Amino acid sequence: MSELSIKIRIAEREYPMRVKEEEEERLRIVGKLLNERLKFFKDQFGIQDKQDLLAMVAFETMVEKLKLEEEKNKHLSKVGQQLNVLDDLLSSVK
């Protein structure tokens, strides 16, 4: 796969990157979402300092990541239990 040179603008600063072609769209979307969240915190809470804004977005992102990991683990556990039940059922048929 080929690489592209792109620039992503976050908090009014440009960050040059070399990315795989198939990752470009995802990275541009992430940049857009970050800027939207920065604007939200700036407008909602009147935070002006970019470092504070970035810290708030990072904090919010990690909270959401942990929440999704917990949900994923619950689902995996449930699927594991269901597979054990199916395995027991299949074993009892033998």
Side-chain angles (χ1 to χ4, degrees), residues 38-58:
L38 290 167
K39 183 178 180 338
F40 169 79
F41 282 111
K42 183 178 182 180
D43 294 345
Q44 191 74 19
F45 301 106
I47 301 170
Q48 298 300 315
D49 183 78
K50 287 187 176 56
Q51 186 172 348
D52 289 341
L53 289 167
L54 289 167
M56 292 297 294
V57 171

Side-chain angles (χ1 to χ4, degrees), residues 13-94:
R13 291 181 79 176
E14 284 194 349
Y15 296 90
M17 299 178 187
R18 293 203 46 82
V19 301
K20 293 179 183 173
E21 194 173 335
E22 65 269 13
E23 290 292 314
E24 178 190 14
E25 183 179 359
R26 177 179 293 124
L27 294 175
R28 291 196 185 277
I29 290 170
V30 168
K32 182 179 181 221
L33 291 171
L34 282 172
N35 286 316
E36 288 173 1
R37 294 311 294 163
L38 290 167
K39 183 178 180 338
F40 169 79
F41 282 111
K42 183 178 182 180
D43 294 345
Q44 191 74 19
F45 301 106
I47 301 170
Q48 298 300 315
D49 183 78
K50 287 187 176 56
Q51 186 172 348
D52 289 341
L53 289 167
L54 289 167
M56 292 297 294
V57 171
F59 183 79
E60 176 187 55
T61 301
M62 290 307 298
V63 168
E64 186 63 26
K65 180 184 183 296
L66 288 176
K67 188 167 81 170
L68 289 171
E69 285 177 358
E70 289 171 2
E71 289 174 11
K72 175 185 150 193
N73 289 337
K74 285 179 189 176
H75 290 300
L76 287 175
S77 176
K78 192 171 186 178
V79 167
Q81 291 171 357
Q82 291 171 336
L83 287 173
N84 287 336
V85 168
L86 286 173
D87 188 48
D88 291 345
L89 286 171
L90 289 172
S91 295
S92 68
V93 172
K94 293 180 183 179

